[in-house]
PDB file of all heavy atoms in Angstrom:
ATOM      1  N   ASP A 177     -47.487  37.015 -77.603  1.00 96.00           N
ATOM      2  CA  ASP A 177     -48.159  38.137 -76.839  1.00 96.00           C
ATOM      3  C   ASP A 177     -48.538  37.734 -75.446  1.00 96.00           C
ATOM      4  O   ASP A 177     -48.350  38.610 -74.481  1.00 96.00           O
ATOM      5  CB  ASP A 177     -49.450  38.400 -77.580  1.00 96.00           C
ATOM      6  CG  ASP A 177     -50.139  39.798 -76.953  1.00 96.00           C
ATOM      7  OD1 ASP A 177     -50.863  39.610 -76.056  1.00 96.00           O
ATOM      8  OD2 ASP A 177     -49.751  40.893 -77.472  1.00 96.00           O
ATOM      9  N   ILE A 178     -49.054  36.552 -75.251  1.00 97.00           N
ATOM     10  CA  ILE A 178     -49.779  36.364 -73.974  1.00 97.00           C
ATOM     11  C   ILE A 178     -48.810  35.788 -72.853  1.00 97.00           C
ATOM     12  O   ILE A 178     -48.894  36.250 -71.713  1.00 97.00           O
ATOM     13  CB  ILE A 178     -50.958  35.370 -74.218  1.00 97.00           C
ATOM     14  CG1 ILE A 178     -52.000  36.122 -74.988  1.00 97.00           C
ATOM     15  CG2 ILE A 178     -51.629  34.992 -72.834  1.00 97.00           C
ATOM     16  CD1 ILE A 178     -52.894  35.170 -75.683  1.00 97.00           C
ATOM     17  N   MET A 179     -47.998  34.820 -73.325  1.00 98.00           N
ATOM     18  CA  MET A 179     -47.116  34.167 -72.330  1.00 98.00           C
ATOM     19  C   MET A 179     -45.894  34.918 -72.027  1.00 98.00           C
ATOM     20  O   MET A 179     -45.411  35.618 -72.903  1.00 98.00           O
ATOM     21  CB  MET A 179     -46.875  32.742 -72.840  1.00 98.00           C
ATOM     22  CG  MET A 179     -48.069  31.882 -72.843  1.00 98.00           C
ATOM     23  SD  MET A 179     -47.509  30.067 -72.920  1.00 98.00           S
ATOM     24  CE  MET A 179     -46.487  29.896 -74.181  1.00 98.00           C
ATOM     25  N   ASN A 180     -45.425  34.799 -70.699  1.00 96.00           N
ATOM     26  CA  ASN A 180     -44.160  35.456 -70.306  1.00 96.00           C
ATOM     27  C   ASN A 180     -43.090  34.282 -70.537  1.00 96.00           C
ATOM     28  O   ASN A 180     -42.782  33.668 -69.476  1.00 96.00           O
ATOM     29  CB  ASN A 180     -44.355  35.820 -68.909  1.00 96.00           C
ATOM     30  CG  ASN A 180     -43.236  36.542 -68.282  1.00 96.00           C
ATOM     31  OD1 ASN A 180     -42.456  37.206 -69.139  1.00 96.00           O
ATOM     32  ND2 ASN A 180     -42.928  36.580 -67.069  1.00 96.00           N
ATOM     33  N   VAL A 181     -42.553  34.187 -71.755  1.00 97.00           N
ATOM     34  CA  VAL A 181     -41.452  33.211 -71.895  1.00 97.00           C
ATOM     35  C   VAL A 181     -40.398  33.800 -72.808  1.00 97.00           C
ATOM     36  O   VAL A 181     -40.678  34.776 -73.602  1.00 97.00           O
ATOM     37  CB  VAL A 181     -42.013  31.949 -72.761  1.00 97.00           C
ATOM     38  CG1 VAL A 181     -42.959  31.145 -71.843  1.00 97.00           C
ATOM     39  CG2 VAL A 181     -42.757  32.354 -74.089  1.00 97.00           C
ATOM     40  N   SER A 182     -39.183  33.382 -72.679  1.00 95.00           N
ATOM     41  CA  SER A 182     -38.099  33.878 -73.490  1.00 95.00           C
ATOM     42  C   SER A 182     -37.059  32.846 -73.654  1.00 95.00           C
ATOM     43  O   SER A 182     -36.643  32.089 -72.819  1.00 95.00           O
ATOM     44  CB  SER A 182     -37.529  35.127 -72.695  1.00 95.00           C
ATOM     45  OG  SER A 182     -36.198  35.394 -73.160  1.00 95.00           O
ATOM     46  N   PRO A 183     -36.576  32.727 -74.929  1.00 95.00           N
ATOM     47  CA  PRO A 183     -35.537  31.689 -75.190  1.00 95.00           C
ATOM     48  C   PRO A 183     -34.156  32.047 -74.571  1.00 95.00           C
ATOM     49  O   PRO A 183     -33.403  31.158 -74.333  1.00 95.00           O
ATOM     50  CB  PRO A 183     -35.271  31.852 -76.817  1.00 95.00           C
ATOM     51  CG  PRO A 183     -35.917  33.123 -77.191  1.00 95.00           C
ATOM     52  CD  PRO A 183     -36.963  33.428 -76.221  1.00 95.00           C
ATOM     53  N   ALA A 184     -34.044  33.331 -74.014  1.00 94.00           N
ATOM     54  CA  ALA A 184     -32.904  33.816 -73.403  1.00 94.00           C
ATOM     55  C   ALA A 184     -32.881  33.248 -71.850  1.00 94.00           C
ATOM     56  O   ALA A 184     -31.856  33.392 -71.185  1.00 94.00           O
ATOM     57  CB  ALA A 184     -32.735  35.339 -73.425  1.00 94.00           C
ATOM     58  N   ASP A 185     -33.988  32.719 -71.470  1.00 92.00           N
ATOM     59  CA  ASP A 185     -34.198  32.424 -69.996  1.00 92.00           C
ATOM     60  C   ASP A 185     -35.139  31.385 -69.887  1.00 92.00           C
ATOM     61  O   ASP A 185     -36.233  31.384 -69.169  1.00 92.00           O
ATOM     62  CB  ASP A 185     -34.556  33.679 -69.219  1.00 92.00           C
ATOM     63  CG  ASP A 185     -34.206  33.804 -67.753  1.00 92.00           C
ATOM     64  OD1 ASP A 185     -33.631  32.666 -67.326  1.00 92.00           O
ATOM     65  OD2 ASP A 185     -34.508  34.616 -67.109  1.00 92.00           O
TER      66      ASP A 185
END
Side-chain angles (χ1 to χ4, degrees):
D177 187 276
I178 294 156
M179 292 199 305
N180 187 27
V181 293
S182 168
D185 204 359

